[in-house]
Amino acid sequence: MNHLPQAWGRPRDDVYGPYNASYLQSSGPVQHTQSPIVTGTSVIGVKYKDGVVIAADNLASYGSLARFTDVKRLLPFAGTSIVGVGGDVSDLQYLSRLLNGLDISESYSSAPSAPSSSSPPSSSTTTTTTPHLNAKNLHTYLSKVFYKRRSDFNPLWNQVLVAGLDAEGKPFLASADLLGTTFSAPTLATGFGAHLAQPILRRLVEDENDVVNVDREMAIKAVRECMKVLFYRDARSLDRYSLAVVTKDGIDLNEDEKLEGQSWAFADSIRGYGTQVN
């Protein structure tokens, strides 16, 4: 007699013959993510006269548990753009693989092409190159990816900021979310940063006309202040973060920044609920 667990509740093979399981479903149903599990919080970005500054902390939270403290959420692309990703970390990893594949195909397509051997020789050799995708092109591509997945009822549970330069060499900063919704602004933030960091950034850059009055140091200082406020106020944030500056000269990315000059003196005046003894 078969006493294995998979035989429990079935007729005995020695009496009724081998069990016929051909009518049973051989594979499980197609399943999609219903809600994010391991998530990253805010990504913030601001434009200045020569480029864009973007930052995100290195924490991935498992629910309310600060589980992973070394998750890099700023993804460089082709040495010209940065994609900052908030939301589900597994979908972040999917986007990272997608961008790596796109970068490789772009590198092949933009490589110089030598003249054909059948062409007549000439005194000057000409080569043709296809330019890389700029930040604006990349943002359009990602928005289509998000919208396609949303239309398949299998969305990528992320909101991304794309930072870099457009085709004219001007600073570019734009957002795309899981519904494929897109918009651009001189300052952007995802998650709690949309509530806590945006007021600070808008004091520096209120509209596009103010971008030309902001230099690199001013933009970095404002972003550092925002990261400090987020660490104070957002329970899903961390005091270590990644910060990138994108200019026409390339990407300056530091993935191990640490908050400095923290002061918790304001906590002395905070009172919770219930009877206060002091």
Side-chain angles (χ1 to χ4, degrees):
M1 183 176 178
N2 186 357
H3 294 283
L4 296 176
Q6 58 265 31
W8 294 352
R10 295 181 177 180
R12 290 175 54 177
D13 292 349
D14 56 340
V15 176
Y16 299 98
Y19 188 74
N20 181 13
S22 61
Y23 67 92
L24 297 176
Q25 186 173 354
S26 59
S27 62
V30 175
Q31 298 182 0
H32 299 323
T33 302
Q34 300 299 308
S35 62
I37 302 299
V38 180
T39 59
T41 183
S42 308
V43 181
I44 60 175
V46 58
K47 294 198 287 190
Y48 69 98
K49 62 180 180 180
D50 296 321
V52 185
V53 179
I54 186 171
D57 66 35
N58 296 340
L59 179 67
S61 300
Y62 179 72
S64 60
L65 174 67
R67 178 63 182 84
F68 305 101
T69 59
D70 194 30
V71 176
K72 307 301 189 293
R73 298 190 292 121
L74 298 185
L75 309 178
F77 177 80
T80 59
S81 307
I82 287 283
V83 180
V85 187
D88 189 71
V89 172
S90 61
D91 288 340
L92 179 156
Q93 294 167 338
Y94 169 80
L95 287 173
S96 178
R97 293 194 299 270
L98 193 69
L99 292 176
N100 284 338
L102 180 63
D103 189 12
I104 291 172
S105 64
E106 281 293 299
S107 297
Y108 277 113
S109 63
S110 62
S113 56
S116 172
S117 58
S118 60
S119 60
S122 61
S123 57
S124 61
T125 302
T126 59
T127 58
T128 59
T129 59
T130 303
H132 266 295
L133 292 177
N134 57 50
K136 189 173 183 179
N137 302 143
L138 181 61
H139 175 255
T140 301
Y141 171 81
L142 288 175
S143 68
K144 303 303 181 185
V145 171
F146 278 113
Y147 187 78
K148 195 269 181 186
R149 289 289 296 264
R150 167 258 182 128
S151 300
D152 292 340
F153 293 92
N154 185 22
L156 297 171
W157 292 80
N158 301 106
Q159 182 176 1
V160 302
L161 299 186
V162 181
L165 303 177
D166 61 16
E168 300 176 356
K170 296 180 179 179
F172 177 84
L173 179 64
S175 168
D177 65 12
L178 76 166
L179 299 178
T181 306
T182 62
F183 54 92
S184 179
T187 65
L188 286 175
T190 72
F192 261 109
H195 307 282
L196 301 175
Q198 278 283 49
I200 300 174
L201 296 175
R202 284 173 177 164
R203 285 204 299 266
L204 179 68
V205 184
E206 186 173 357
D207 54 33
E208 291 286 350
N209 296 328
D210 294 330
V211 173
V212 295
N213 301 322
V214 180
D215 60 21
R216 176 178 175 137
E217 288 71 24
M218 295 168 62
I220 292 177
K221 181 179 178 181
V223 168
R224 292 187 192 278
E225 183 65 24
C226 290
M227 297 306 294
K228 185 184 297 185
V229 170
L230 288 171
F231 181 58
Y232 287 158
R233 300 293 184 179
D234 185 1
R236 305 293 177 268
S237 61
L238 192 67
D239 61 345
R240 292 191 176 274
Y241 60 96
S242 302
L243 187 145
V245 181
V246 188
T247 64
K248 63 181 180 181
D249 297 324
I251 298 173
D252 182 10
L253 174 61
N254 187 347
E255 296 181 326
D256 194 27
E257 294 275 350
K258 185 173 176 59
L259 293 180
E260 297 178 354
Q262 298 181 39
S263 173
W264 293 90
F266 69 88
D268 292 340
S269 61
I270 296 177
R271 295 292 181 268
Y273 296 100
T275 304
Q276 303 298 319
V277 296
N278 295 327

